Amino acid sequence: YINVVLIEKILRVQPNVKKLYLLIRAPDLDSAKEHFNNEVVKTDLFVVLREKLGANLHALLEDKIFPVAGDIACDSLGINSDMKDEMCKEIDIIVNSAATTSFDERYDTAIRINAFGTLNILKFSKQCSKLKMLLHVSTAYVCGVKEGLIEEKPLHYGETLNGGSHLDIDAEQKLVEEKLEDLKARNATEKEVTLAMRVLGIERAKIHGWPNTYTFTKAMGEMLLGHLKEDLQLIILRPTIYWSRVQTVETTSCRNVGTTDTFIIGYGKGKQNVIMGDKESIMDVIPADMVVNSIIAAMVAHRHRSSHITVYHISSSRRNQLNIGDIIQFSVDHFKNNPWISKRGKPVKVKKFHTLDSMASLHKYIAIHYKPSLKILKCANLILCQHLQAFCSNLERRINRAIRLAELYKPYLFFKGVFNDTNAEMLLMVTRESNADDTFNFDPTIIQWEKYFKEIHIPGLVKYIF
């Protein structure tokens, strides 16, 4: 998603860029081009460019954008040799935002993409003769679960977050391979393999102090970059939770939908009015266009070759704090004044909101409101010769999913950390010296959260996603 917003921004404000190579996971060039046209160009993110250029947009894209079929999980990024040679001679800057972002992704998949895929990007970068920098988009939550001020500093190779033993990334990969071999020897089904890999990822993350597979393997990726970069200039951008662009709803096109968004819409539809979390917990949100502006600003500020590592938190919690209670109130206010219209054409009346302060209270709530219904359904199903099995399975699946998601997101629903963005603030000051019209502004203090949610983010969700 960030790469798409970045491409649109560059083409809109700097159409004189020479070339943009876009690595797309695809088996061949035709498939890569088809993906680019259908999943990028035809989206609402390009509405401004389409209105501005009309028929000339196609010519601009043909001249500037070069889709490349490949895969960061492969050696040489899966790029054919002729294209690779061309790219290595021409590329000045590499931006890597490729990742699998599911918190409980299969461990083999997550480590292959987020850790060793990042290493493959580094190996490719070292072959680019003109390269000025590798800009790696990570996540602020590689810090794990912390309280207080969280600094903009690189991770040390092999460090853990719980003060435990050394993290051996190669040993983690070997563990994955051994587990897969064991599952194969036992003739495990694909479903069993997927479950085992998901469980393994969470287990290994928690052993070393991270709350989930995503942040654990993203941390591994950062460690590999810092440890093996040699004299390459490395810029690490760590956005927090990035959402729709801080513009009008017509140019928002929310595509990065998370659990909070699903909850907001579930509440608006009258299907959900309970959430687990602390209303005072910090929800560090940053609009996607501000993340992109910071990427471009970092490209310009670090355009001269160097061997430094610089880390930027692209965040809002230090200078424009938002908490879960704010988001709840904005959602309540929005849907009271702009009710969801049901399929029958009637406005949905939202219910009173309830927050649960622990997993124990969630289990109690489920035991009171859902378990009795499930018990009755199971009895009726037995009497009716399994004719209600689908209803039983569906309710049981919904209960288990609610508990699983609550466990996954619990660290962030009770998060008390504040991300120090001093480096990012200094980058913004440098950018403003040469950019008086705020084209590349990423100052979180300008965001009016109530207006952003009620006039941009929630309407964007309703219009583009749900």
Side-chain angles (χ1 to χ4, degrees):
Y1 175 64
I2 284 295
N3 267 348
V4 178
V5 181
L6 177 62
I7 291 165
E8 190 275 340
K9 179 84 175 193
I10 291 174
L11 291 176
R12 181 159 44 86
V13 303
Q14 187 50 272
N16 293 326
V17 63
K18 186 177 178 183
K19 283 184 181 180
L20 289 171
Y21 291 104
L22 182 61
L23 184 67
I24 296 173
R25 188 166 60 187
D28 53 54
L29 181 57
D30 287 340
S31 299
K33 287 181 176 178
E34 183 180 358
H35 178 91
F36 174 69
N37 287 324
N38 292 336
E39 302 297 323
V40 178
V41 180
K42 291 181 180 179
T43 66
D44 291 288
L45 287 168
F46 275 70
V47 66
V48 175
L49 267 177
R50 281 197 294 270
E51 290 175 354
K52 181 180 177 182
L53 299 177
N56 294 327
L57 175 60
H58 179 74
L60 178 68
L61 296 174
E62 285 285 319
D63 186 43
K64 304 296 183 181
I65 305 293
F66 294 81
V68 178
D71 187 340
I72 67 163
C74 301
D75 291 335
S76 298
L77 307 182
I79 303 169
N80 75 58
S81 57
D82 291 340
M83 176 57 76
K84 180 189 168 188
D85 290 343
E86 177 190 320
M87 292 169 70
C88 287
K89 290 175 184 175
E90 296 203 22
I91 288 175
D92 298 292
I93 298 169
I94 291 177
V95 178
N96 174 40
S97 65
T100 176
T101 58
S102 176
F103 281 9
D104 63 343
E105 179 63 89
R106 285 177 52 146
Y107 194 30
D108 55 336
T109 301
I111 202 170
R112 185 175 71 249
I113 296 172
N114 294 346
F116 291 103
T118 300
L119 179 59
N120 289 335
I121 293 284
L122 177 63
K123 290 176 180 177
F124 179 84
S125 301
K126 290 180 178 180
Q127 298 174 56
C128 297
S129 57
K130 295 169 58 182
L131 195 74
K132 296 176 181 177
M133 77 185 76
L134 168 58
L135 196 154
H136 177 67
V137 181
S138 184
T139 170
Y141 294 98
V142 292
C143 67
V145 181
K146 291 184 178 179
E147 295 187 6
L149 197 63
I150 301 163
E151 299 297 340
E152 294 167 296
K153 61 181 183 179
L155 292 168
H156 298 296
Y157 186 74
E159 76 169 277
T160 60
L161 297 183
N162 57 7
S165 59
H166 176 80
L167 170 60
D168 187 331
I169 298 173
D170 290 325
E172 292 297 317
Q173 174 62 18
K174 187 176 180 181
L175 180 67
V176 166
E177 292 169 358
E178 289 173 350
K179 182 67 174 179
L180 288 171
E181 284 296 322
D182 177 59
L183 290 163
K184 184 179 179 181
R186 293 194 282 111
N187 293 317
T189 65
E190 186 61 27
K191 188 174 181 179
E192 290 170 336
V193 172
T194 295
L195 180 60
M197 283 292 107
R198 280 183 167 172
V199 170
L200 180 64
I202 295 291
E203 286 178 350
R204 298 306 298 174
K206 290 185 175 179
I207 283 171
H208 292 296
W210 279 269
N212 54 63
T213 310
Y214 167 58
T215 53
F216 181 40
T217 53
K218 286 293 284 184
M220 286 185 196
E222 282 197 24
M223 290 179 195
L224 288 168
L225 289 177
H227 183 59
L228 299 171
K229 77 174 194 67
E230 297 175 342
D231 62 349
L232 188 70
Q233 179 169 213
L234 175 63
I235 311 300
I236 297 177
L237 252 77
R238 293 178 181 159
T240 49
I241 303 165
Y242 54 86
W243 276 353
S244 45
R245 301 192 285 179
V246 60
Q247 299 178 16
T248 62
V249 68
E250 284 74 20
T251 58
T252 293
S253 187
C254 317
R255 296 175 68 195
N256 193 51
V257 179
T259 296
T260 308
D261 293 329
T262 305
F263 168 78
I264 289 171
I265 295 302
Y267 176 72
K269 287 183 173 182
K271 295 181 178 180
Q272 191 169 354
N273 67 323
V274 175
I275 189 171
M276 187 184 77
D278 181 354
K279 286 185 178 182
E280 298 304 315
S281 288
I282 297 165
M283 183 66 75
D284 198 312
V285 172
I286 196 79
D289 52 342
M290 287 194 170
V291 178
V292 162
N293 288 347
S294 70
I295 291 173
I296 297 172
M299 288 181 190
V300 176
H302 297 276
R303 61 190 178 278
H304 302 299
R305 287 191 179 185
S306 164
S307 59
H308 295 148
I309 300 179
T310 309
V311 176
Y312 295 108
H313 281 155
I314 310 304
S315 56
S316 61
S317 55
R318 184 173 75 93
R319 291 184 286 149
N320 190 5
Q321 204 163 103
L322 175 76
N323 59 43
I324 289 176
D326 295 326
I327 297 174
I328 290 171
Q329 192 58 54
F330 298 154
S331 302
V332 171
D333 292 345
H334 175 83
F335 287 111
K336 276 185 177 179
N337 296 322
N338 305 276
W340 187 281
I341 304 302
S342 70
K343 290 181 180 179
R344 295 179 179 179
K346 294 183 178 180
V348 175
K349 187 176 180 180
V350 291
K351 304 172 185 176
K352 185 180 177 182
F353 211 95
H354 298 282
T355 54
L356 306 173
D357 60 6
S358 65
M359 283 301 297
S361 61
L362 175 65
H363 281 286
K364 183 179 179 180
Y365 182 86
I366 288 171
I368 293 171
H369 294 275
Y370 290 96
K371 288 292 180 71
S373 300
L374 180 61
K375 191 173 181 180
I376 292 167
L377 263 178
K378 284 183 174 180
C379 290
N381 186 45
L382 194 62
I383 294 168
L384 296 173
C385 304
Q386 308 298 315
H387 284 297
L388 297 177
Q389 184 58 45
F391 293 99
C392 290
S393 299
N394 184 46
L395 181 56
E396 199 158 26
R397 187 164 53 248
R398 285 170 58 195
I399 290 170
N400 292 335
R401 184 174 183 271
I403 293 170
R404 182 177 71 86
L405 288 176
E407 284 285 1
L408 280 175
Y409 285 89
K410 181 173 66 174
Y412 309 106
L413 296 171
F414 296 93
F415 197 79
K416 301 297 183 183
V418 172
F419 292 101
N420 189 356
D421 62 343
T422 302
N423 289 350
E425 192 174 9
M426 291 173 64
L427 176 64
L428 179 63
M429 290 170 64
V430 171
T431 304
R432 279 176 167 166
E433 288 175 5
S434 58
N435 177 42
D437 64 353
D438 277 351
T439 304
F440 304 110
N441 195 6
F442 54 96
D443 182 0
T445 65
I446 70 168
I447 305 168
Q448 299 174 46
W449 287 121
E450 184 170 2
K451 181 178 179 180
Y452 172 76
F453 273 90
K454 292 182 180 180
E455 298 182 17
I456 297 171
H457 187 67
I458 299 176
L461 287 174
V462 171
K463 180 176 180 180
Y464 291 108
I465 302 299
F466 297 95

